[in-house]
Amino acid sequence: MKMNQQINKSTRFRVLSEDQIEQIFYSALEVLEHTGGNVYEEEALELFRNSNAVVRENNVRIPTTMVEEALNFYPRKITLKGRSGNRSLHLQKDTVAFGTGSDLPFTYDRETGERRRTRWNDINNAAKLVDALSNYDFFMSHGIVGDAPNPQTYDRHQFMAMLEGCTKPMVLTSVDGEGLEDLWKMGCLIQGGEEEFRLNPLFVAYIEPISPLKNDRTAVEKLLFAAEKKIPAMYTPCPSSGATAPATLAGMLVQSLTETLLATVLCHLKNPGMPLIMGGVTTLLDMKMSTYSYGAPELSLASAANTDISKWLNLLMFSTGGCSDSKVLDEQAAAEQMMNLFYSYLSGANLVHDVGYIDHGTNASLESLVLNQEMMGMVKQFGKGINTDDEHLALELIEKQGPGGEYVTTDHTFEHWKEWFRPELQYRGDYETWKKDGSKTMSDRINERTQHLLDTYEPEPIEDKLKKELQKIVEDADKRHS
């Protein structure tokens, strides 16, 4: 019998030590007690006034005891269920799910090659691709509907475009609290009622504070509605180091955590036990180009550190990966996307979003989604680690085949080669075969694969009666805002 052995069933990766996490946590508590955050929503201010927090006009300072009490009430597991009912996503410690990002204003037109405003059809096409591609676990819109009748109702139209193309669980943005309420009503229709939605939510609501340390009316309104209805929600600080946060990563992590902790207390005051997810798109301002960088290695490092902190706090984590600053899908895009995909996966973040982003979060590319499908497959293969049981150590086989033997014809090879990563886009043939096959580049193969999926993939349709009920919610919103 073997004693005192540690067998790694997966790879292991961690950025912060236990002591470093404590340093950041205690620092965030210090900021909450002495600097506080500003809140611009009256119901939230009233909740804080009726608690042990100190409220001076819009500034709220929170004692440590309130933070520690609130942290005890958040669920450590959430299960999302897609509209088809058979695509569940279990969010719990160290389970990783990949998905797209949200409101990209521009899209690369596949016919003209030019950048233009994103339309309803672009969202629907992205939805179909994500539904068809197996390594995507959830869907964000990968664009913002620019041809909606009214900007105040774009979120309902966007949700319909997503629903018609994709059956997987989703993460949604919304215009305001009223918009989130309509999206929730649509989600309840699909899941079979409010109670069913609460047990098996279709989506998570994406909500952002304004760094540094500000919480505007719209964001807080959405947060309070999510808390009231127990809609899973992430409150996602998006500071840029050197501009809206300190230029040191540790300082940015302290500020980002402070913003998260304020939200944990507010949600607890509103409705204890609501499913809140920690978020954070923490990166830097490129000082040369004045852009918020999605390709910087510091984004990967800070995101992994945030995930370490979230695990220590027993909160689920919404992180970032598969994104790039490159203007087009080129070598820079592939290098940056692969790097932040890899480290977000190793960190064990629960929801890794923004997969496929290019142009620092302003431009949508369907081909980028297809490329990332391949890269996510490679990353997941690495995460499987190395099995060292007797079957995989293969000592009997090595002895049988002996010096100078071969393994191609053995049953062991036939059984185990299927465990390897098998590329769909990368070409591994020799030069002569590649020439014979048409000398296609990776870009050629990505374009062909994208077009093939758009031409042939048909998502499971929404039943007619349900579709009419969903559309009525959208039409009613248009009438209210006409």
Side-chain angles (χ1 to χ4, degrees), residues 31 125 185 193 222 226 270 283 308 317 320 324 337 344 427 457:
V31 175
N125 281 335
K185 287 176 181 174
K222 289 188 276 189
K270 176 69 176 178
T283 186
D308 290 342
M317 184 67 202
T320 308
S324 170
Q337 290 176 338
S344 62
Y427 193 85
Y457 183 74

PDB file of all heavy atoms in Angstrom, residues 31 125 185 193 222 226 270 283 308 317 320 324 337 344 427 457:
ATOM      1  N   VAL A  31     -10.119  50.354   3.752  1.00  0.00           N
ATOM      2  CA  VAL A  31     -10.658  51.359   2.822  1.00  0.00           C
ATOM      3  C   VAL A  31     -12.160  51.523   3.052  1.00  0.00           C
ATOM      4  O   VAL A  31     -12.688  52.640   3.072  1.00  0.00           O
ATOM      5  CB  VAL A  31     -10.373  50.954   1.361  1.00  0.00           C
ATOM      6  CG1 VAL A  31     -11.045  51.944   0.393  1.00  0.00           C
ATOM      7  CG2 VAL A  31      -8.878  50.916   1.096  1.00  0.00           C
ATOM      8  N   ASN A 125     -26.100  35.441 -35.208  1.00  0.00           N
ATOM      9  CA  ASN A 125     -25.063  34.573 -35.784  1.00  0.00           C
ATOM     10  C   ASN A 125     -24.055  34.130 -34.727  1.00  0.00           C
ATOM     11  O   ASN A 125     -23.631  32.968 -34.706  1.00  0.00           O
ATOM     12  CB  ASN A 125     -24.332  35.312 -36.912  1.00  0.00           C
ATOM     13  CG  ASN A 125     -25.135  35.323 -38.204  1.00  0.00           C
ATOM     14  OD1 ASN A 125     -25.973  34.454 -38.440  1.00  0.00           O
ATOM     15  ND2 ASN A 125     -24.896  36.318 -39.038  1.00  0.00           N
ATOM     16  N   LYS A 185     -38.503  38.480 -16.483  1.00  0.00           N
ATOM     17  CA  LYS A 185     -39.826  37.946 -16.843  1.00  0.00           C
ATOM     18  C   LYS A 185     -39.720  36.983 -18.016  1.00  0.00           C
ATOM     19  O   LYS A 185     -40.382  35.938 -18.051  1.00  0.00           O
ATOM     20  CB  LYS A 185     -40.774  39.096 -17.204  1.00  0.00           C
ATOM     21  CG  LYS A 185     -41.236  39.924 -16.017  1.00  0.00           C
ATOM     22  CD  LYS A 185     -42.097  41.089 -16.481  1.00  0.00           C
ATOM     23  CE  LYS A 185     -42.555  41.943 -15.298  1.00  0.00           C
ATOM     24  NZ  LYS A 185     -43.269  43.162 -15.753  1.00  0.00           N
ATOM     25  N   GLY A 193     -41.701  29.655 -14.664  1.00  0.00           N
ATOM     26  CA  GLY A 193     -42.187  30.389 -13.496  1.00  0.00           C
ATOM     27  C   GLY A 193     -41.064  30.926 -12.629  1.00  0.00           C
ATOM     28  O   GLY A 193     -39.906  30.543 -12.775  1.00  0.00           O
ATOM     29  N   LYS A 222     -30.174  47.896 -10.540  1.00  0.00           N
ATOM     30  CA  LYS A 222     -30.144  46.519 -11.054  1.00  0.00           C
ATOM     31  C   LYS A 222     -29.713  45.541  -9.958  1.00  0.00           C
ATOM     32  O   LYS A 222     -30.276  44.449  -9.826  1.00  0.00           O
ATOM     33  CB  LYS A 222     -29.177  46.434 -12.254  1.00  0.00           C
ATOM     34  CG  LYS A 222     -29.696  47.116 -13.497  1.00  0.00           C
ATOM     35  CD  LYS A 222     -28.826  46.854 -14.713  1.00  0.00           C
ATOM     36  CE  LYS A 222     -27.660  47.763 -14.802  1.00  0.00           C
ATOM     37  NZ  LYS A 222     -26.923  47.654 -16.078  1.00  0.00           N
ATOM     38  N   ALA A 226     -31.928  42.433  -8.594  1.00  0.00           N
ATOM     39  CA  ALA A 226     -31.390  41.060  -8.622  1.00  0.00           C
ATOM     40  C   ALA A 226     -31.459  40.443  -7.224  1.00  0.00           C
ATOM     41  O   ALA A 226     -31.816  39.269  -7.063  1.00  0.00           O
ATOM     42  CB  ALA A 226     -29.960  41.075  -9.139  1.00  0.00           C
ATOM     43  N   LYS A 270     -30.399  43.910   1.573  1.00  0.00           N
ATOM     44  CA  LYS A 270     -31.637  43.837   0.788  1.00  0.00           C
ATOM     45  C   LYS A 270     -32.303  42.468   0.907  1.00  0.00           C
ATOM     46  O   LYS A 270     -33.515  42.375   1.128  1.00  0.00           O
ATOM     47  CB  LYS A 270     -31.315  44.141  -0.691  1.00  0.00           C
ATOM     48  CG  LYS A 270     -32.483  44.002  -1.660  1.00  0.00           C
ATOM     49  CD  LYS A 270     -33.528  45.074  -1.436  1.00  0.00           C
ATOM     50  CE  LYS A 270     -34.645  44.962  -2.494  1.00  0.00           C
ATOM     51  NZ  LYS A 270     -35.692  45.961  -2.278  1.00  0.00           N
ATOM     52  N   THR A 283      -7.255  45.397 -15.249  1.00  0.00           N
ATOM     53  CA  THR A 283      -6.123  45.487 -16.167  1.00  0.00           C
ATOM     54  C   THR A 283      -5.514  46.875 -16.058  1.00  0.00           C
ATOM     55  O   THR A 283      -5.763  47.595 -15.090  1.00  0.00           O
ATOM     56  CB  THR A 283      -6.563  45.144 -17.594  1.00  0.00           C
ATOM     57  OG1 THR A 283      -5.411  45.102 -18.444  1.00  0.00           O
ATOM     58  CG2 THR A 283      -7.560  46.157 -18.153  1.00  0.00           C
ATOM     59  N   ASP A 308      -7.909  33.777  -6.753  1.00  0.00           N
ATOM     60  CA  ASP A 308      -7.389  33.292  -5.465  1.00  0.00           C
ATOM     61  C   ASP A 308      -8.168  33.917  -4.299  1.00  0.00           C
ATOM     62  O   ASP A 308      -8.520  33.238  -3.332  1.00  0.00           O
ATOM     63  CB  ASP A 308      -5.902  33.659  -5.315  1.00  0.00           C
ATOM     64  CG  ASP A 308      -5.007  32.869  -6.254  1.00  0.00           C
ATOM     65  OD1 ASP A 308      -5.449  31.830  -6.768  1.00  0.00           O
ATOM     66  OD2 ASP A 308      -3.853  33.304  -6.454  1.00  0.00           O
ATOM     67  N   MET A 317     -16.429  33.126  -8.902  1.00  0.00           N
ATOM     68  CA  MET A 317     -15.640  34.165  -9.580  1.00  0.00           C
ATOM     69  C   MET A 317     -15.964  34.277 -11.063  1.00  0.00           C
ATOM     70  O   MET A 317     -16.030  33.287 -11.780  1.00  0.00           O
ATOM     71  CB  MET A 317     -14.139  33.851  -9.423  1.00  0.00           C
ATOM     72  CG  MET A 317     -13.230  34.909 -10.014  1.00  0.00           C
ATOM     73  SD  MET A 317     -13.358  36.474  -9.093  1.00  0.00           S
ATOM     74  CE  MET A 317     -12.771  37.650 -10.313  1.00  0.00           C
ATOM     75  N   THR A 320     -11.835  36.780 -16.809  1.00  0.00           N
ATOM     76  CA  THR A 320     -11.656  37.244 -18.187  1.00  0.00           C
ATOM     77  C   THR A 320     -10.599  36.416 -18.898  1.00  0.00           C
ATOM     78  O   THR A 320      -9.560  36.097 -18.312  1.00  0.00           O
ATOM     79  CB  THR A 320     -11.222  38.727 -18.187  1.00  0.00           C
ATOM     80  OG1 THR A 320     -12.138  39.465 -17.393  1.00  0.00           O
ATOM     81  CG2 THR A 320     -11.203  39.295 -19.593  1.00  0.00           C
ATOM     82  N   SER A 324      -8.186  40.184 -26.761  1.00  0.00           N
ATOM     83  CA  SER A 324      -6.989  40.784 -27.346  1.00  0.00           C
ATOM     84  C   SER A 324      -7.202  42.259 -27.668  1.00  0.00           C
ATOM     85  O   SER A 324      -8.328  42.706 -27.878  1.00  0.00           O
ATOM     86  CB  SER A 324      -6.635  40.034 -28.635  1.00  0.00           C
ATOM     87  OG  SER A 324      -5.629  40.709 -29.359  1.00  0.00           O
ATOM     88  N   GLN A 337      -4.829  36.149 -26.828  1.00  0.00           N
ATOM     89  CA  GLN A 337      -6.001  35.355 -26.437  1.00  0.00           C
ATOM     90  C   GLN A 337      -5.572  34.047 -25.790  1.00  0.00           C
ATOM     91  O   GLN A 337      -6.148  33.610 -24.789  1.00  0.00           O
ATOM     92  CB  GLN A 337      -6.883  35.095 -27.657  1.00  0.00           C
ATOM     93  CG  GLN A 337      -7.591  36.340 -28.167  1.00  0.00           C
ATOM     94  CD  GLN A 337      -8.385  36.091 -29.444  1.00  0.00           C
ATOM     95  OE1 GLN A 337      -8.130  35.148 -30.172  1.00  0.00           O
ATOM     96  NE2 GLN A 337      -9.349  36.961 -29.716  1.00  0.00           N
ATOM     97  N   SER A 344      -6.447  31.986 -17.116  1.00  0.00           N
ATOM     98  CA  SER A 344      -7.771  32.031 -16.477  1.00  0.00           C
ATOM     99  C   SER A 344      -8.254  30.610 -16.182  1.00  0.00           C
ATOM    100  O   SER A 344      -8.874  30.357 -15.149  1.00  0.00           O
ATOM    101  CB  SER A 344      -8.776  32.763 -17.372  1.00  0.00           C
ATOM    102  OG  SER A 344      -8.941  32.088 -18.593  1.00  0.00           O
ATOM    103  N   TYR A 427      -3.091  22.313 -38.761  1.00  0.00           N
ATOM    104  CA  TYR A 427      -2.662  21.336 -39.768  1.00  0.00           C
ATOM    105  C   TYR A 427      -1.353  20.705 -39.331  1.00  0.00           C
ATOM    106  O   TYR A 427      -0.379  21.412 -39.049  1.00  0.00           O
ATOM    107  CB  TYR A 427      -2.480  22.025 -41.125  1.00  0.00           C
ATOM    108  CG  TYR A 427      -2.345  21.049 -42.259  1.00  0.00           C
ATOM    109  CD1 TYR A 427      -3.467  20.525 -42.885  1.00  0.00           C
ATOM    110  CD2 TYR A 427      -1.083  20.622 -42.676  1.00  0.00           C
ATOM    111  CE1 TYR A 427      -3.347  19.609 -43.916  1.00  0.00           C
ATOM    112  CE2 TYR A 427      -0.950  19.702 -43.709  1.00  0.00           C
ATOM    113  CZ  TYR A 427      -2.086  19.197 -44.320  1.00  0.00           C
ATOM    114  OH  TYR A 427      -1.966  18.281 -45.341  1.00  0.00           O
ATOM    115  N   TYR A 457     -25.667  25.044 -39.428  1.00  0.00           N
ATOM    116  CA  TYR A 457     -26.122  24.766 -38.059  1.00  0.00           C
ATOM    117  C   TYR A 457     -27.500  25.370 -37.804  1.00  0.00           C
ATOM    118  O   TYR A 457     -27.750  26.534 -38.083  1.00  0.00           O
ATOM    119  CB  TYR A 457     -25.139  25.316 -37.024  1.00  0.00           C
ATOM    120  CG  TYR A 457     -25.555  24.962 -35.620  1.00  0.00           C
ATOM    121  CD1 TYR A 457     -25.402  23.667 -35.138  1.00  0.00           C
ATOM    122  CD2 TYR A 457     -26.159  25.907 -34.795  1.00  0.00           C
ATOM    123  CE1 TYR A 457     -25.820  23.323 -33.862  1.00  0.00           C
ATOM    124  CE2 TYR A 457     -26.579  25.571 -33.516  1.00  0.00           C
ATOM    125  CZ  TYR A 457     -26.408  24.276 -33.061  1.00  0.00           C
ATOM    126  OH  TYR A 457     -26.833  23.927 -31.810  1.00  0.00           O
TER     127      TYR A 457
END
